[in-house]
Amino acid sequence: MDADDSRAPKGSLRKFLEHLSGAGKAIGVLTSGGDAQGMNAAVRAVVRMGIYVGAKVYFIYEGYQGMVDGGANIAEADWESVSSILQVGGTIIGSARCQAFRTREGRLKAACNLLQRGITNLCVIGGDGSLTGANLFRKEWSGLLEELARNGQIDKEAVQKYAYLNVVGMVGSIDNDFCGTDMTIGTDSALHRIIEVIDAIMTTAQSHQRTFVLEVMGRHCGYLALVSALACGADWVFLPESPPEQGWEEQMCVKLSENRARKKRLNIIIVAEGAIDTQNKPITSEKIKELVVSQLGYDTRVTILGHVQRGGTPSAFDRILASRMGVEAVIALLEATPDTPACVVSLNGNHAVRLPLMECVQMTQDVQKAMDERRFQDAVRLRGRSFAGNLNTYKRLAIKLPDDQIPKTNCNVAVINVGAPAAGMNAAVRSAVRVGIADGHRMLAIYDGFDGFAKGQIKEIGWTDVGGWTGQGGSILGTKRILPGKYLEEIATQMRTHSINALLIIGGFETCDRIKQSASGTKRRVFIIETMGGYCGYLANMGGLAAGADAAYIFEEPFDIRDLQSNVEHLTEKMKTTIQRGLVLRNESCSENYTTDFIYQLYSEEGKGVFDCRKNVLGHMQQGGAPSPFDRNFGTKISARAMEWITAKLKEARGRGKKFTTDDSVCVLGISKRNVIFQPVAELKQQTDFEHRIPKEQWWLKLRPLMKILAKYKASYDVSDSGQLEHVQPWSV
Ligand code: ADP
C-alpha cells in the first residue's frame, strides 16, 4: 500500500512529485463568511495534501480578520493539528466577517502579514462574498507589494520573489447558492438537519390533524426549500426563484383541503427564508399561517429552523466532497502560473473540476439580478440544470391533474422491488407511480419481489396510496432476494393475465448509502469496522474517506500480509504522536481468509502496549433507518426519469402492436459522470463481473489514493485524475 507497492503504477509517484512539488511554497488556508458543516474536512485536506507535497501550510484564523491582524492569527499547521476534526461541524479555525478587508488599507496589512511568512498561495473557503474579496486581493497584489516596498516594509527582492499571489476558492455555504458547482460544502448536511426535523414532526403530527409551515434558510436561493420539499413530499413550497402564480392563495387552500379529504392528516408547507411573490413582495411563514387559519380554520404551526441547519456533524457526503475539493485545491495552487486566473474548485456530477472564480461569482450575481428584475424563468435557468430538474419533478409529483385531464394510454406498467432493501426504494416507487399516472398509464404494484410476482401478488396502485412514502426506510412493497430464473414461466403467465406492458424494477445489486460509526473520543484505540456491500468495496472506501480511516480493505484492491504489516506499523507510529484514534474498515467480502476477526486479532496483538482494539460488524443497520435526503431525491428523480423513458418506449411501440423487443428495450438507468444514462442490459452484461456482482470498472476506485494520502501513507496520486480548469457554463454541459 505504500509507494513501493508493486501494484502502484510504475514511476507515477516520481512523476507526480516532479510535476507537483510544493517544496519552498507556503499555503495559507482560511474559512470566511457564514460557517458550514464540512469546512473542517476541507481544511484538513488542504493541510495534509499541502504537507504531503512538501509545502508549508498556515492556518489563518478568523477569516480575513486574522489575515489583517496577523500575529498569532497566522500559524503553521502540522499533520496532527487537523486530526479528529473531520466529524466536527463548523470550522475549527474560526470564521468572521471583516470590514477592514473591504478597504485597501486592510488588504495592505493582510499582504504584509502574508509576506512575513512567505505565503503566496491562498485557499479560501467561503461564500461568494469571500471569494470576491480573494479575487480582488489577488488582482491588487502587485500594487500592494509596491506600496509596501515604498513604505519600507519589504525590500525590492521580496517584491520580485513574491510577485504573484495564487488564489483558489472552495464554496462553503449551506444554501447551495453558488453557480458553477452542483453542491457547495455544507448543503447536504443542512438537508440532513431539515429532514430530521420534518421526520420528527411527521411522527408526532400523525396523531393530530395539523398543518406545518416550515421555514428553511435561503435568503436568495431556494435550493434547500426545494430539495427538502422533494425529499418529504411537501404539499407546497415557496421559493425566491419561482414565485407562485397570482391567485396562489386560493390554489394552495384548495390543495390542502383536497389532501385532507384524502385522509391525509398532516400538511407540510416549506418556505424559503427569501420567498417572494411575483411582485417581489416577501411571502413569510406567518402570512401563510394566517391564510390557512383564516381560510380553512386548520390548526397550523410555524417552525423556523434557523441556525439548527448549520449545526451538527457533517454528512458523509460533505466530508467526502470537502476532502476531494481540498486535495484538488492544493493541486490547483501548485499548478498555477502567473496567468492562471483565480479558480474555484467545483463539483460537476461526480467530478471535481476547476472553474474561473469570477465567472462563477458573476453568474451567481446574475441570478439575483434576474430575480430583482422579475425575470423568474431566467433565474431558474441560471441556477443550473439540476435546479430546474428538481423544480419540474417536484411539480409533477406534488400536484395531480384531475383524471379527465390525463389522456389514457391503456398501458399497464408494473413496479417491483427486488434484492436487498435499500433506503430510498420507497421514494423511487412513489415517484414511478405518480409519474406513470400523470403519463396516463394504469400502475400496478407487485408485492414481495419475483416470488410475489410468480404468485400473482399484483394490485393496482393509486396516487394517494404512495403518499408519505419518500421518508420511509426499507421496502413497503416488500422485496426478496430471489432471482427470477426458476419462476420465469409463472411470471410470464402473470404478465399476460395482468396485461403488463412494461416493468420497472427497482433494486438489484446491493445498494445503500448509509454508514454510521462513531469512533472518536476514546483513548488510543483502533476500531475495526466491517461494512456490507458484497464484493463491492464502495461503502468501505467512501466510508473510509468520510470518516478519515487509516485503511479500508476492499476486494477490488487485493492486499497481502505485507500490506497488513505496513498498516499496523503505520498505526503504531501514528499512535505514538498525539493522535489517539485509529479506524480500519473492512468490506465483508474483501478476503476469504483475512477475516474481520483475523484483522482484529492481528491488530490487537501487534498493538499491545500502544493501543487496544474494538471491532464492530455493522450488519443490517446499514440497510435500515430512514433514507438520507440524497437517497430520497436520487430515488425520486431517477425513477421519474425511468418512467418517462418507459412512456416514450411504449409510445414508440404502439405502432408495432404490443411487442417491443428492440435491443435497448431492457435498460438500467444510472448516473455516469454528469449524465443520467440508460444502458441496455446487453451492454451492461459485458461490463459486469457477475461472479462478484460488481461492475468491472468502478469510478470511485480512483479516490483510494486520496484516503491513503490523507491518512499519511506515501501513496501515489495520479494527477490525471484531478480536474482541469474548464471554461464551461455548468448548465450547458
Ligand atoms: P460569504 O463569503 O458567505 O458570501 P460575506 O459576503 O459576508 O460572506 O463575505 C465575507 C467576508 O469576505 C466579508 O466580511 C469581507 O471581509 C470579505 N469580502 C466580501 N466581499 C468583499 C469585497 N467585495 N471586497 C473585499 N472583501 C470582501
Side-chain angles (χ1 to χ4, degrees):
M1 276 198 187
D2 64 19
D4 300 315
D5 190 333
S6 56
R7 279 186 307 263
K10 286 218 163 34
S12 81
L13 180 61
R14 220 181 50 232
K15 203 173 97 210
F16 171 72
L17 286 176
E18 253 170 38
H19 217 81
L20 278 180
S21 170
K25 295 193 175 169
I27 299 170
V29 56
L30 67 105
T31 49
S32 169
D35 66 331
Q37 305 97 324
M39 278 181 162
N40 283 328
V43 171
R44 168 180 177 270
V46 171
V47 169
R48 295 203 164 166
M49 185 65 180
I51 293 173
Y52 175 77
V53 296
K56 280 190 172 189
V57 184
Y58 289 88
F59 289 137
I60 301 174
Y61 292 100
E62 308 305 330
Y64 289 121
Q65 193 63 51
M67 209 154 109
V68 173
D69 295 345
N73 288 302
I74 308 180
E76 192 173 345
D78 61 19
W79 194 274
E80 283 80 28
S81 54
V82 287
S83 162
S84 292
I85 65 167
L86 197 53
Q87 67 280 12
V88 180
T91 160
I92 59 150
I93 55 175
S95 180
R97 312 236 185 235
C98 168
Q99 208 41 47
F101 195 73
R102 292 181 185 269
T103 65
R104 189 179 157 95
E105 203 189 331
R107 293 192 290 272
L108 190 70
K109 279 192 196 155
C112 187
N113 287 327
L114 293 187
L115 284 179
Q116 281 170 5
R117 292 147 183 100
I119 301 172
T120 55
N121 295 283
L122 208 54
C123 189
V124 178
I125 307 162
D128 58 340
S130 308
L131 301 186
T132 307
N135 189 59
L136 180 65
F137 191 46
R138 177 179 176 277
K139 279 198 179 146
E140 285 181 351
W141 184 255
S142 56
L144 293 171
L145 259 55
E146 276 162 27
E147 193 172 333
L148 288 172
R150 274 201 304 279
N151 299 347
Q153 289 171 281
I154 57 170
D155 56 30
K156 278 262 150 48
E157 270 169 38
V159 176
Q160 291 237 306
K161 189 171 170 199
Y162 302 122
Y164 300 102
L165 177 72
N166 301 315
V167 168
V168 57
M170 278 179 263
V171 193
S173 157
I174 64 163
D175 294 346
N176 207 20
D177 52 357
F178 193 80
C179 290
T181 186
D182 286 349
M183 287 297 263
T184 58
I185 296 169
T187 302
D188 185 66
S189 304
L191 276 175
H192 274 267
R193 294 300 92 77
I194 296 171
I195 297 300
E196 279 158 20
V197 170
I198 295 177
D199 284 353
I201 285 176
M202 279 183 151
T203 48
T204 79
Q206 292 302 342
S207 38
H208 312 275
Q209 289 211 346
R210 246 176 217 164
T211 300
F212 271 92
V213 181
L214 197 79
E215 183 180 307
V216 302
M217 278 191 170
R219 260 176 302 150
H220 310 285
C221 178
Y223 182 89
L224 286 179
L226 175 56
V227 176
S228 42
L230 205 52
C232 74
D235 297 76
W236 202 275
V237 63
F238 292 95
L239 318 167
E241 295 90 344
S242 177
E245 290 159 18
Q246 282 197 341
W248 62 267
E249 291 91 342
E250 200 192 325
Q251 268 184 33
M252 188 184 80
C253 290
V254 168
K255 169 124 196 266
L256 294 181
S257 57
E258 275 176 8
N259 284 349
R260 274 285 161 93
R262 289 198 201 109
K263 303 243 169 0
K264 190 171 173 181
R265 301 177 62 84
L266 170 70
N267 300 119
I268 291 192
I269 300 168
I270 298 183
V271 196
E273 213 179 347
I276 44 175
D277 65 15
T278 47
Q279 302 308 308
N280 286 25
K281 289 216 185 67
I283 299 180
T284 61
S285 32
E286 244 350 278
K287 183 173 165 182
I288 297 164
K289 176 184 168 177
E290 280 163 23
L291 184 73
V292 177
V293 172
S294 68
Q295 298 297 307
L296 300 168
Y298 292 168
D299 178 3
T300 305
R301 308 289 161 103
V302 172
T303 303
I304 298 176
L305 281 185
H307 272 72
V308 166
Q309 294 160 89
R310 285 191 198 286
T313 54
S315 67
F317 181 92
D318 273 328
R319 298 183 202 190
I320 295 168
L321 177 74
S323 301
R324 291 175 70 185
M325 285 186 166
V327 167
E328 184 65 24
V330 171
I331 298 175
L333 286 173
L334 298 188
E335 286 184 348
T337 65
D339 305 321
T340 317
C343 75
V344 54
V345 178
S346 306
L347 184 73
N348 188 337
N350 52 29
H351 274 243
V353 297
R354 298 175 213 164
L355 300 170
L357 189 151
M358 273 332 277
E359 279 180 32
C360 296
V361 169
Q362 185 59 50
M363 286 190 267
T364 305
Q365 290 168 354
D366 287 348
V367 182
Q368 188 56 46
K369 192 155 172 267
M371 290 192 287
D372 293 343
E373 293 171 3
R374 293 191 258 156
R375 291 181 285 111
F376 294 110
Q377 281 180 352
D378 286 346
V380 169
R381 186 179 53 79
L382 287 165
R383 274 269 178 254
R385 195 174 71 160
S386 80
F387 190 91
N390 283 333
L391 190 57
N392 281 336
T393 309
Y394 174 77
K395 285 183 180 161
R396 290 192 77 172
L397 298 179
I399 299 165
K400 183 178 183 287
L401 283 175
D403 279 339
D404 56 1
Q405 283 182 32
I406 303 173
K408 296 281 174 289
T409 61
N410 296 323
C411 288
N412 294 326
V413 178
V415 186
I416 185 172
N417 283 168
V418 302
M425 266 186 169
N426 299 319
V429 174
R430 166 182 175 269
S431 164
V433 167
R434 293 201 167 172
V435 173
I437 291 172
D439 282 351
H441 311 311
R442 190 167 155 257
M443 296 303 295
L444 302 172
I446 299 169
Y447 296 87
D448 291 335
F450 287 119
D451 196 31
F453 200 175
K455 292 181 187 143
Q457 291 170 234
I458 305 166
K459 266 207 318 233
E460 181 165 1
I461 186 162
W463 186 276
T464 42
D465 296 333
V466 290
W469 280 30
T470 28
Q472 305 211 28
S475 160
I476 299 175
L477 292 184
T479 173
K480 286 200 175 154
R481 293 175 71 171
I482 287 176
L483 294 174
K486 63 174 179 174
Y487 293 123
L488 280 183
E489 253 171 54
E490 286 96 326
I491 289 174
T493 310
Q494 294 298 340
M495 300 249 325
R496 235 173 291 127
T497 317
H498 293 270
S499 306
I500 294 172
N501 303 82
L503 179 63
L504 177 65
I505 303 175
I506 298 169
F509 291 175
E510 290 79 1
T511 49
C512 84
D513 160 59
R514 288 174 67 87
I515 162 162
K516 276 193 182 166
Q517 56 80 31
S518 73
S520 56
T522 9
K523 287 225 145 191
R524 298 206 201 287
R525 181 163 286 172
V526 174
F527 288 83
I528 297 169
I529 313 268
E530 181 187 299
T531 60
M532 288 177 92
Y535 286 100
C536 176
Y538 179 84
L539 281 181
N541 190 59
M542 298 308 257
L545 198 55
D550 298 279
Y553 301 113
I554 61 174
F555 168 76
E556 291 87 341
E557 193 178 278
F559 58 99
D560 58 23
I561 193 70
R562 282 175 293 274
D563 296 316
L564 290 173
Q565 187 182 354
S566 97
N567 291 154
V568 172
E569 282 167 4
H570 168 86
L571 258 176
T572 318
E573 278 311 302
K574 225 173 98 171
M575 291 287 184
K576 287 179 185 158
T577 67
T578 52
I579 295 175
Q580 308 205 320
R581 182 193 69 119
L583 180 64
V584 173
L585 279 95
R586 180 188 173 277
N587 159 261
E588 58 181 356
S589 308
C590 66
S591 157
E592 222 174 293
N593 296 313
Y594 295 139
T595 60
T596 302
D597 277 333
F598 175 88
I599 290 179
Y600 167 69
Q601 281 160 5
L602 178 81
Y603 275 74
S604 300
E605 185 62 33
E606 295 298 319
K608 262 188 191 158
V610 186
F611 57 80
D612 66 358
C613 293
R614 288 285 181 279
K615 73 171 173 192
N616 189 358
V617 177
L618 291 184
H620 277 79
M621 67 159 284
Q622 292 163 91
Q623 290 174 348
S628 67
F630 177 88
D631 278 340
R632 294 180 197 200
N633 288 321
F634 186 59
T636 301
K637 282 194 283 193
I638 203 152
S639 200
R641 290 293 287 273
M643 210 57 204
E644 283 162 12
W645 182 86
I646 285 179
T647 300
K649 284 282 159 199
L650 286 172
K651 268 192 194 144
E652 244 176 61
R654 205 171 286 156
R656 289 186 259 126
K658 278 207 165 172
K659 271 191 208 135
F660 74 113
T661 47
T662 51
D663 283 348
D664 65 346
S665 63
V666 185
C667 275
V668 172
L669 176 60
I671 288 193
S672 175
K673 300 202 174 88
R674 173 98 238 240
N675 295 309
V676 175
I677 55 163
F678 291 88
Q679 204 166 19
V681 168
E683 218 177 284
L684 209 60
K685 237 167 140 177
Q686 292 163 7
Q687 296 171 9
T688 303
D689 169 355
F690 277 95
E691 187 192 339
H692 300 108
R693 300 163 48 102
I694 51 177
K696 285 181 187 161
E697 264 189 43
Q698 309 198 82
W699 68 271
W700 50 267
L701 275 175
K702 70 171 195 234
L703 297 178
R704 296 266 308 157
L706 226 154
M707 187 191 83
K708 293 181 198 168
I709 287 172
L710 296 181
K712 210 173 186 173
Y713 286 91
K714 288 192 234 80
S716 65
Y717 188 65
D718 189 349
V719 188
S720 65
D721 285 343
S722 72
Q724 297 298 319
L725 191 63
E726 290 183 19
H727 289 263
V728 283
Q729 295 205 314
W731 55 85
S732 66
V733 184

